[in-house]
Amino acid sequence: MELNGLKIGMATSQDEAALLALINLVQPHVPWTKAHLYWQFFDLPAGPAKLYVIRDGEAIISLYAAIPQILEVDGHRLEARMVQDVMTHPDFRGRGFLHYLAGLCLEDINQSDIAGYTFPNDRSEKSFRRGGWSELCEVPDRSKDLSGDIHSRGIVRIEALDEFFADWATDIWSVAGLGVGVRRDAQFLNWRYGKPNNKYHKFLIEEDRGLLVVKFYSDGVSSVLHILELVLRTRDRDLLPEVLAFCFDFAASHGALTVTAWLPHAHPYASQLDAAGLVIKPMRKRFMFVHAPDAYASRVEDSTAWHLTQGDSDIF
């Protein structure tokens, strides 16, 4: 790799201006603010992001971001990095910069004995296959068309939450009986749904038997409701059909014609989502990749063990 005076290193919050300049140049259609930058990279519950960069003087011209999260694997905590926000300045592309930074990131993951996961787009996918990551599964993209449907809210008490998640949310997650996934304790949920300039609808299910987070998206023509979080105590999984009916009714009452969710085929909730018509639609091929230390690899690399939802993606 020819650097020709460019410098490889790590970025911190002191590089705020250079990071925003690169990000907003590469993706002007989704511009970041300072608040978004700090939410995404520096104010996370598990610590600041690892930002591998190449610099041209004071400017950052290539970025490979690894966001810290805590995975829970059958009740054990495992530090992880979610790879996202991978980009190079247009004037410097084709020189192997991202491939090199990806190698540094994976080397750090291996040396630290932690896990990694990512949802790359089709342009980046091949680099993860070549780099030694394991393909976990296609992203389990589910949707339901609400046209012509009538849904009842049922008798389950589902109440809007207008405050922060607290210990009760951590308690729900701890007895949800879900094998592998990002730990959804109160601290994570408050960070995740504190994303600047986004509106989320949070709900309590029967006071403390479950939690629900949804978000509307409109393209100016039609509206979609995304189910980002739906977690129930193991003993209360029988509430799921009525919770889904609530989601469909809530969507329709706000003019949404479609409800979407992510959830793998073998998830404990999958059969009830299928029965409700919220089924996987393999319309686009997008994959999740993982990497894990040997002690956890058999579980982390098993797609049937994962609790994977749209709340795991920073897009929503």
Side-chain angles (χ1 to χ4, degrees), residues 103-169:
L104 294 181
C105 177
L106 188 58
E107 183 179 356
D108 281 352
I109 287 173
N110 287 333
Q111 290 182 351
S112 302
D113 211 30
I114 62 178
Y117 65 100
T118 185
F119 311 99
N121 59 34
D122 54 1
R123 298 187 302 277
S124 304
E125 176 190 316
K126 290 181 181 178
S127 68
F128 289 94
R129 295 188 188 280
R130 291 194 303 265
W133 292 67
S134 299
E135 178 189 315
L136 182 73
C137 61
E138 290 184 31
V139 171
D141 198 2
R142 295 173 177 268
S143 65
K144 178 181 174 66
D145 181 0
L146 300 180
S147 301
D149 285 5
I150 299 175
H151 303 282
S152 169
R153 290 178 182 262
I155 60 174
V156 172
R157 189 166 72 259
I158 300 177
E159 300 172 303
L161 176 67
D162 297 321
E163 56 193 38
F164 291 115
F165 292 96
D167 289 345
W168 55 265

Side-chain angles (χ1 to χ4, degrees), residues 218-251:
S218 175
D219 61 6
V221 177
S222 60
S223 182
V224 176
L225 180 75
H226 302 303
I227 299 176
L228 304 181
E229 302 289 348
L230 203 178
V231 181
L232 295 163
R233 294 175 182 266
T234 302
R235 68 170 186 262
D236 294 315
R237 289 177 182 173
D238 60 322
L239 299 177
L240 187 55
E242 286 203 51
V243 176
L244 293 174
F246 169 86
C247 292
F248 301 152
D249 180 78
F250 187 71

